[in-house]
Amino acid sequence: MFNWPKNTDRYRRVSRFVEALFTKWDKFLEPPRHPKWRDVNLAATVPGWTRWSFADEMLRRVRPPDAPDPQAAAGEFAAFLKNNGTASASLSQDQRDALFREFLQWQSKQHVGSPQ
């Protein structure tokens, strides 16, 4: 995404789109939307890419306060794979992504009942 200056019309338009997308994301998870939408993780990181600052801000706004930090979760997931003897090199990217989603779901359930 181009890093438009904040005082431009394009920045405002893209910001409105990103805000609408992030705040209404749960609508994509409901029928009649395709079930594959549930596989999308807006907080996922892509090595070598920098998330747009407004999108980062929106993630902080819409993420529940007790939700695990995705950046920290990625490090914990790598440690999890290493400790369990799962060679990440032997996994396809699709397998790794699916396993990471399962890990995030498991991790979020662990945080629900934990004391703050």
Side-chain angles (χ1 to χ4, degrees), residues 59-97:
L59 278 175
R60 284 191 297 277
R61 280 193 216 170
V62 299
R63 188 171 65 200
D66 61 342
D69 177 21
Q71 300 270 348
E76 291 173 16
F77 179 65
F80 167 79
L81 289 178
K82 185 176 179 182
N83 288 340
N84 288 319
T86 305
S88 61
S90 68
L91 298 173
S92 72
Q93 188 61 42
D94 286 342
Q95 290 170 322
R96 186 176 170 81
D97 291 344

Side-chain angles (χ1 to χ4, degrees), residues 13-25:
R13 288 175 184 232
V14 175
S15 296
R16 281 195 312 260
F17 170 78
V18 169
E19 185 170 14
L21 178 69
F22 281 54
T23 57
K24 298 175 182 169
W25 183 250

Side-chain angles (χ1 to χ4, degrees), residues 3-110:
N3 196 12
W4 297 98
K6 287 187 177 186
N7 60 349
T8 63
D9 183 52
R10 179 65 63 185
Y11 181 94
R12 284 186 291 277
R13 288 175 184 232
V14 175
S15 296
R16 281 195 312 260
F17 170 78
V18 169
E19 185 170 14
L21 178 69
F22 281 54
T23 57
K24 298 175 182 169
W25 183 250
D26 57 331
K27 303 292 183 207
F28 282 95
L29 308 178
E30 299 172 357
R33 303 282 188 214
H34 194 281
K36 280 301 222 178
W37 280 109
R38 287 182 227 127
D39 292 345
V40 175
N41 178 358
L42 293 176
T45 58
V46 178
W49 286 24
T50 303
R51 181 177 282 115
W52 187 39
S53 61
F54 187 77
D56 247 353
E57 180 184 328
M58 286 306 305
L59 278 175
R60 284 191 297 277
R61 280 193 216 170
V62 299
R63 188 171 65 200
D66 61 342
D69 177 21
Q71 300 270 348
E76 291 173 16
F77 179 65
F80 167 79
L81 289 178
K82 185 176 179 182
N83 288 340
N84 288 319
T86 305
S88 61
S90 68
L91 298 173
S92 72
Q93 188 61 42
D94 286 342
Q95 290 170 322
R96 186 176 170 81
D97 291 344
L99 193 56
F100 184 63
R101 281 191 300 277
E102 289 177 31
F103 172 77
L104 287 177
Q105 289 173 347
W106 172 84
Q107 189 182 42
S108 67
K109 289 176 185 170
Q110 301 306 308

